[in-house]
Amino acid sequence: MEENHKFSHPHNNEKALSVAIILNFIVSLIEIIGGIWSGSLALLSDALHNLGDTTSLFISLFSLRLSLKEETPQRTYGYRRAEVLGAFVNSLLIFATLGYIFIEAIQRLFSPRVIETHILLEIAIIGLLGNLFSVFLLFPGSRESLNLRSSFWHLLVDTFSSLAVIIGALLIKHWGWFFIDPLLSIGLSILLLRGSWKMFKEVVNILMQGAPPHLNLEKLKKALETLPGVKNIHHLHVWSLNEKEHFAEFHVTTTCSSWEEIDQLREEIQKILFEDFRIEHSTIQFENKGCKNHDFIVKEK
């Protein structure tokens, strides 16, 4: 049985996260004060989004630092899945915030309140600038880390939220449409829910050790069974440690007659796994006669 042990490390975005945490906390406090002062639910909703972002960023920072810890006899894979757990917690925070905002917006829709638009407009612009700067800071890391992508998504939607609040303030100022404030909150909640649900499913798939979305198991099996010396591939399991590191383990019924041939076959299998299926880590059990059960996927007992 052989295993490939090349591990990659999470992208280090500690400085960007730290700056974004401080910036978003300040913006949140300003918007909370402004939302209470102006009477705008949309601005308070945006403040809650920003406060949720601050918590999200802190969780991301903590998870990132934890994921960089070395492997131990008790944690043989290290703490690299900590970033996935951070993204999971962030997703739950988004859903909780959305529920509160949606219920409050429905109540405001039937009981509109007078809003001080000049205060609303000024503070919404501050929120927009703060969110834009934070989005710029986290964009590079969001392409490499699911954990940072969850925080980046928080901030990106909050940027659109601030923009919508500004548009709403202008409509209220010129036409007196106070009902537009809760309507914007409802619309933004639905927008955030749609994007967050997609990310949440990706996180849960990793935690449940589901097969990576990019990988077709039937195609993988057929590709390996075309190799000389491979009679059958069975008991196949594929999962992810995080969004970048994918693992596979399976049994190979082989016609090889020596250890040298088996070693050569193993190298060919791992080359296909890496180049065609982005799997760097594999555990392979070679057999001559094979198991009694040759099913593609079996329930281990």
Side-chain angles (χ1 to χ4, degrees), residues 70-225:
E70 296 293 332
E71 295 85 354
T72 68
Q74 290 73 36
R75 297 284 187 274
T76 56
Y77 287 129
Y79 293 80
R80 291 190 299 283
R81 188 165 275 187
E83 288 199 278
V84 180
L85 290 173
F88 178 74
V89 173
N90 282 336
S91 297
L92 295 181
L93 287 173
I94 292 176
F95 296 145
T97 303
L98 285 179
Y100 170 78
I101 292 173
F102 190 83
I103 293 173
E104 185 69 19
I106 292 295
Q107 294 175 347
R108 286 281 189 100
L109 193 59
F110 293 98
S111 301
R113 299 182 187 179
V114 177
I115 296 171
E116 297 290 339
T117 54
H118 64 283
I119 298 173
L120 171 61
L121 191 58
E122 292 171 1
I123 295 180
I125 291 173
I126 294 174
L128 176 63
L129 293 176
N131 286 323
L132 281 172
F133 185 70
S134 296
V135 164
F136 175 77
L137 283 175
L138 294 188
F139 177 69
S142 69
R143 294 178 293 179
E144 301 179 15
S145 167
L146 182 61
N147 178 37
L148 289 177
R149 197 178 312 140
S150 67
S151 293
F152 174 78
W153 178 252
H154 273 278
L155 293 170
L156 184 62
V157 175
D158 232 8
T159 300
F160 285 107
S161 174
S162 296
L163 183 61
V165 170
I166 292 172
I167 295 172
L170 292 173
L171 291 175
I172 294 170
K173 182 177 181 179
H174 291 288
W175 284 286
W177 294 351
F178 293 105
F179 64 86
I180 203 71
D181 189 68
L183 278 179
L184 283 172
S185 297
I186 293 172
L188 290 169
S189 297
I190 294 173
L191 175 66
L192 182 56
L193 177 63
R194 184 177 179 181
S196 300
W197 180 249
K198 181 180 179 180
M199 181 184 66
F200 179 72
K201 289 193 297 182
E202 184 178 355
V203 171
V204 169
N205 185 62
I206 293 176
L207 293 177
M208 293 296 293
Q209 294 187 294
H214 74 273
L215 202 150
N216 185 309
L217 295 188
E218 290 286 351
K219 185 177 179 181
L220 187 154
K221 174 179 167 67
K222 291 178 181 178
L224 297 182
E225 288 181 341

Side-chain angles (χ1 to χ4, degrees), residues 8 38 45 59:
S8 59
S38 66
S45 299
I59 292 172

